[in-house]
């Protein structure tokens, strides 16, 4: 069984190992928190500003398998930006990210009341692009050579999901 929950202070060691994994870090945004102190600050913010900011742990049969997050991007227009999705390599290939993303979409759109979710994926990240399509996000375009990543300017593919896109 796959479930998601808000991250807690005692998840910081897990999050620290996850985001620094060689098969995770290169795919995260260049501003991602990587050290324990920054990760703890994010978990605390998720707790104190739950409407604007979220850090979540994905569990598979009660075991920590991955993480995901969001941040308010535009309060007036109710847009949230999704970020920092990662599944531990040992848990991949079972559809855990897809199921967790579907739960997360419903939570942020229906429980928190956002209207639109946005996310960006580096164009070289084929696994994440395939995941976003499977999870129902709609591809809206490409930001050409948008970000400097490890010395190269890389394209980013933009996806979004509207509340009315959710399957009933
Ligand atoms: C992006 C990421 C979370 C996606 O996870 P993933 O393991 O690749 O995806 P899943 O766990 O959903 O597994 C997908 C594969 O399992 C298969 N699968 C098996 N059972 C499945 C099921 N019940 N449901 C869906 N897919 C299933 C899929 O068909 C797919 O196989 P394919 O690659 O041959 O098409 C993961 O690759 C990751 O953490 N990457 C590093 C960090 C990252 O890129 N984050 C995104 C930043 S934008």
């Amino acid at each position: 069984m796959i479930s998601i929950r808000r991250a807690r202070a005692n998840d910081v060691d897990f999050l620290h190992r996850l985001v620094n994994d060689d098969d995770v870090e290169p795919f995260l945004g260049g501003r991602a928190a990587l050290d324990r102190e920054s990760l703890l600050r994010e978990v605390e913010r998720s707790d104190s500003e739950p409407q604007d900011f979220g850090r979540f742990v994905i569990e598979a049969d009660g075991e920590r398998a991955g993480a995901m997050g969001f941040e308010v991007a535009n309060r007036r227009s109710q847009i949230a930006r999704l970020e920092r999705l990662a599944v531990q390599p040992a848990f991949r290939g079972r559809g855990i990210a897809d199921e967790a993303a579907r739960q997360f979409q419903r939570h942020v759109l229906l429980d928190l009341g956002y209207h639109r979710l946005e996310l960006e994926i580096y164009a070289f990240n084929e696994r994440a692009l395939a995941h976003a399509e499977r999870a129902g996000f709609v591809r809206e375009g490409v930001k050409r050579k948008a970000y400097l990543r490890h010395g190269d300017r890389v394209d980013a593919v933009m996806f979004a999901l509207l509340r009315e896109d959710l399957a009933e």
Side-chain angles (χ1 to χ4, degrees):
M1 196 197 70
I2 311 306
S3 56
I4 59 173
R5 61 168 175 79
R6 290 256 169 192
R8 302 185 281 254
N10 67 2
D11 293 315
V12 166
D13 283 343
F14 165 77
L15 295 171
H16 185 248
R17 272 198 309 279
L18 179 67
V19 297
N20 286 286
D21 189 288
D22 287 345
D23 205 7
V24 171
E25 190 279 333
F27 302 100
L28 298 181
R31 284 172 299 183
L34 297 176
D35 61 278
R36 278 196 179 78
E37 200 174 311
S38 309
L39 290 162
L40 178 61
R41 273 203 303 274
E42 289 195 343
V43 169
E44 288 171 349
R45 185 172 173 211
S46 169
D47 208 38
S48 62
E49 299 176 42
Q51 179 67 28
D52 285 0
F53 190 82
R55 287 294 177 262
F56 286 71
V57 169
I58 304 169
E59 291 186 337
D61 296 325
E63 216 182 324
R64 295 177 181 102
M68 63 209 318
F70 80 91
E71 180 165 11
V72 62
N74 185 318
R75 195 166 285 120
R76 186 171 173 279
S77 300
Q78 300 163 287
I79 303 173
R81 186 180 63 240
L82 306 190
E83 55 193 11
R84 314 292 165 73
L85 168 69
V87 168
Q88 269 195 322
F91 285 88
R92 292 192 194 157
R94 303 192 218 159
I96 290 175
D98 298 10
E99 171 59 24
R102 295 215 178 254
Q103 293 181 19
F104 200 45
Q105 292 165 358
R106 300 188 77 81
H107 178 59
V108 182
L109 291 171
L110 303 181
D111 301 337
L112 299 181
Y114 282 90
H115 165 69
R116 173 181 163 88
L117 308 179
E118 297 181 344
L119 61 103
E120 292 184 18
I121 300 175
Y122 293 132
F124 62 76
N125 191 353
E126 289 172 13
R127 276 183 317 206
L129 294 173
H131 154 75
E133 304 266 2
R134 288 195 305 266
F137 291 103
V138 178
R139 192 181 162 120
E140 292 191 330
V142 176
K143 276 173 142 171
R144 292 170 308 133
K145 306 228 164 157
Y147 300 112
L148 264 179
R149 197 67 182 121
H150 299 298
D152 292 321
R153 287 205 177 271
V154 296
D155 291 354
V157 185
M158 302 182 296
F159 287 87
L161 188 80
L162 306 181
R163 198 185 300 159
E164 57 253 44
D165 294 333
L166 280 182
E168 292 307 314

